[in-house]
Amino acid sequence: MPYELPPLPYDYAALEPTIDEQTMRIHHDKHHQAYVDNVNKALDGTEWDGKPIEQVLDNLDLIPEDKRMVVRNNGGGHANHSLFWEIMKPGGGGSPSGALASAIDDAFGGVDDLKAAINDAGVKRFGSGWTWLLWDGTGLEVRSTPNQDSPLMDGHVPLLGIDVWEHAYYLKYQNRRPDYLAAWWDVVNWDEVGRRFDAR
Ligand code: MN3
């Protein structure tokens, strides 16, 4: 079974004014669809066809060499965007709760410090990529990745990731990536991030 583009769990305009409708339409319907189509084409007819994307990304070194970079970029893109839509919601924001909140306090000193670290990593990412909160097997960590690289490629569990490709923000924020990152927290879905933490 090839991968499929997951439907957005809310309307395209639902994240306004933080993320504009046109950006969401192009980002979901065009960019994410292209990642899905390209990784499907690359894996078609291989033993990896139909395997969970997490398993594929954790075993990139086993993918045939002539397909490996295509799978890395587009399989990563599929996994990253599938997470991204889920960890946002209309009327989001606020603070995490439960075990995640305690773990954030212990690791970073509080959610404001965590946000500052994630935004800083996102601003410093040169070119295109993502800024993450991940579980590395023993603790929480903030890290950025280039292109569509995923923490899954290092065997880590991505909990929250913000897309800092220009296609994610340029129509509304132009070159002002720091403004996009600052505003993004108004749509964070902490319930979903907490669910991923509990399931890590
Ligand atoms: Mn994107």
Side-chain angles (χ1 to χ4, degrees):
M1 267 292 287
Y3 303 118
E4 291 180 5
L5 180 67
L8 262 194
Y10 34 75
D11 291 339
Y12 294 100
L15 302 181
E16 298 242 16
T18 307
I19 304 179
D20 60 284
E21 175 178 356
Q22 189 184 6
T23 293
M24 290 298 291
R25 285 191 183 280
I26 298 169
H27 200 178
H28 178 271
D29 293 6
K30 304 298 184 190
H31 289 277
H32 191 172
Q33 182 71 64
Y35 299 128
V36 169
D37 292 344
N38 288 330
V39 70
N40 282 340
K41 197 159 77 176
L43 294 182
D44 184 38
T46 74
E47 60 178 309
W48 298 94
D49 189 358
K51 297 279 172 59
I53 191 67
E54 294 81 4
Q55 189 181 342
V56 172
L57 297 179
D58 196 27
N59 291 282
L60 279 178
D61 52 331
L62 302 179
I63 303 292
E65 198 174 351
D66 61 326
K67 298 172 182 290
R68 194 175 301 153
M69 189 54 78
V70 173
V71 172
R72 179 181 193 129
N73 289 336
N74 292 277
H78 175 43
N80 292 344
H81 289 83
S82 296
L83 173 143
F84 189 54
W85 314 131
E86 296 286 337
I87 55 124
M88 299 189 288
K89 70 172 182 181
S95 299
S97 59
L100 174 63
S102 304
I104 288 172
D105 287 346
D106 290 347
F108 303 101
V111 69
D112 288 339
D113 297 289
L114 170 69
K115 290 179 183 178
I118 291 175
N119 290 3
D120 184 59
V123 168
K124 287 178 176 162
R125 167 53 53 192
F126 184 77
S128 299
W130 291 73
T131 179
W132 301 97
L133 173 66
L134 58 86
W135 178 259
D136 72 3
T138 57
L140 293 173
E141 188 183 330
V142 168
R143 179 183 295 189
S144 77
T145 56
N147 305 314
Q148 294 296 350
D149 283 4
S150 162
L152 295 164
M153 296 170 187
D154 297 316
H156 298 156
V157 182
L159 303 173
L160 179 157
I162 310 177
D163 189 341
V164 298
W165 284 57
E166 285 186 343
H167 69 223
Y169 63 86
Y170 204 85
L171 293 180
K172 182 177 170 75
Y173 298 90
Q174 292 82 48
N175 61 318
R176 302 186 306 277
R177 187 187 289 183
D179 292 355
Y180 157 69
L181 284 164
W184 184 86
W185 298 96
D186 289 341
V187 295
V188 63
N189 181 352
W190 281 120
D191 291 340
E192 174 61 17
V193 180
R195 190 193 66 74
R196 289 170 184 266
F197 179 74
D198 292 341
R200 72 195 184 278

